Amino acid sequence: PQLPAPLAFLTFIGVCVLGEYRRKPKEQKAGEERVLKRIRAAKMQNPFVAEYLTFAPAFEPVFPAACDLPPAATTMPEELAMLEALQYCCRSGGRGQA
């Protein structure tokens, strides 16, 4: 159940950032469709991870890689999904592993 976010992130990096298929139009189109499908799956799991992928440049100065985040025990229930997304993106996979 934790697969959509990392898979979406890695697909996004490969297709959109590294341009793995930029010289192959058919493969580029298929890659972009995979990115969209995987980001939608990640958003269903946790909408904040998909938002982070979209708005990473705005998040990076505020939440640098390996930054200190509040413990889940001190987080309001309605904030847990955001905390989970930030933990993924700042610590356990996100941009720090790409």
Side-chain angles (χ1 to χ4, degrees):
Q2 295 296 322
L3 187 59
L7 189 57
F9 186 78
L10 293 174
T11 305
F12 174 81
I13 294 293
V15 174
C16 300
V17 177
L18 298 177
E20 292 177 343
Y21 305 110
R22 75 182 122 208
R23 295 191 180 153
K24 300 176 183 177
K26 286 184 182 180
E27 287 88 349
Q28 178 69 25
K29 178 73 172 156
E32 290 169 359
E33 289 172 4
R34 276 193 311 278
V35 168
L36 183 58
K37 178 181 174 185
R38 291 173 178 172
I39 287 179
R40 285 180 177 155
K43 184 176 181 180
M44 287 176 55
Q45 179 182 342
N46 183 329
F48 295 110
V49 172
E51 293 297 325
Y52 179 86
L53 291 175
T54 305
F55 299 107
F59 279 89
E60 288 175 353
V62 180
F63 300 104
C67 70
D68 291 329
L69 298 172
T74 64
T75 305
M76 301 292 290
E78 60 272 10
E79 297 172 335
L80 286 175
M82 174 62 95
L83 180 60
E84 179 185 285
L86 287 171
Q87 286 173 337
Y88 168 73
C89 294
C90 296
R91 292 190 183 146
S92 59
R95 67 167 175 252
Q97 299 295 316

